[in-house]
Amino acid sequence: MILSAQPDMTVAGEAGDGAEALRLLREVRVDVVVMDIRMPVLDGVAATAELSTWVDGPRVLVLTTFDTDEDAFAALRAGASGFLLKNAPPADLLAAIRVVAGGDAVVAPRVTRSLLDRYVVPGEPPRPPVGRDVRLDLLTDRERQVLLLVAEGLSNAEIGDRLRVAETTVKTHVGRILTKLGLRDRVQAVVLAYETGLVRPAC
């Protein structure tokens, strides 16, 4: 009801599980899929992974709760463009859908905090990275600097203020970073930065 009431949104369909969603999406073209994690038959992570293989497939916004971060990160790695808590206010949901539809990603500070919690346990040494990614060698020094700030959860405007450059310049850098690394959006860039050890926060 909330989505249908928006003048710039149309609800193309609803599905009760991931398998049904994939069947529906083969028949109906959409821009954004709001995907639940916990579903019968085929869960949201598997459905998102399948959608990420489609040419010009829809972008995915995952719904999760505080205690399902592990699943949420699996969905991000599978190709989701962000995630939102189920108890988020309607205005936040609408804003997130518009951001994802516009080609960007939802990378809130909570996402970054959860990444820190995932890779760094207080009192223990940081988890080892999954391995060095040679694609990082393609980045210029400035692009690497921008990637580090993206991994902190900063917006383009905030990165521009930090580096004292125009927001449009930051957007250009981010676009080049995603192209060089073969990533869909900022969320996957954040995950890559942590998984490869580019970002190694202190305990």
Side-chain angles (χ1 to χ4, degrees), residues 114-202:
S114 296
L115 279 168
L116 289 170
D117 292 340
R118 171 176 168 75
Y119 289 101
V120 179
V121 179
E124 297 182 6
R127 300 183 187 184
V130 296
R132 180 176 174 276
D133 195 314
V134 295
R135 290 177 297 174
L136 295 176
D137 295 336
L138 300 174
L139 302 181
T140 65
D141 291 340
R142 175 62 89 179
E143 289 167 350
R144 185 178 290 258
Q145 188 177 20
V146 170
L147 176 57
L148 289 171
L149 295 176
V150 169
E152 289 183 22
L154 273 62
S155 66
N156 286 348
E158 292 169 333
I159 294 174
D161 290 341
R162 181 78 65 88
L163 300 180
R164 297 183 180 179
V165 298
E167 183 177 351
T168 53
T169 299
V170 176
K171 185 174 182 180
T172 298
H173 283 311
V174 171
R176 289 174 178 168
I177 290 168
L178 297 180
T179 298
K180 288 182 177 181
L181 299 181
L183 303 175
R184 286 173 57 113
D185 49 47
R186 301 166 74 96
V187 172
Q188 290 193 332
V190 172
V191 173
L192 178 70
Y194 281 94
E195 287 193 328
T196 59
L198 181 62
V199 176
R200 298 296 297 274

Side-chain angles (χ1 to χ4, degrees), residues 32-118:
V32 178
V33 176
V34 181
M35 184 81 72
D36 197 354
I37 286 287
R38 303 291 186 181
M39 294 186 292
V41 185
L42 188 71
D43 64 29
V45 173
T48 298
E50 171 65 23
L51 287 175
S52 69
T53 67
W54 293 12
V55 177
D56 295 327
R59 298 172 69 82
V60 179
L61 175 64
V62 172
L63 293 179
T64 184
T65 59
F66 278 108
D67 60 350
T68 59
D69 281 344
E70 189 70 27
D71 289 335
F73 290 128
L76 295 179
R77 287 191 295 270
S81 295
F83 67 83
L84 197 68
L85 298 177
K86 288 184 178 180
N87 61 356
D92 288 355
L93 173 60
L94 295 172
I97 292 174
R98 292 186 176 103
V99 167
V100 170
D104 210 334
V106 179
V107 185
R110 194 189 100 68
V111 177
T112 303
R113 180 66 258 172
S114 296
L115 279 168
L116 289 170
D117 292 340
R118 171 176 168 75

Side-chain angles (χ1 to χ4, degrees), residues 102 129 203:
C203 297

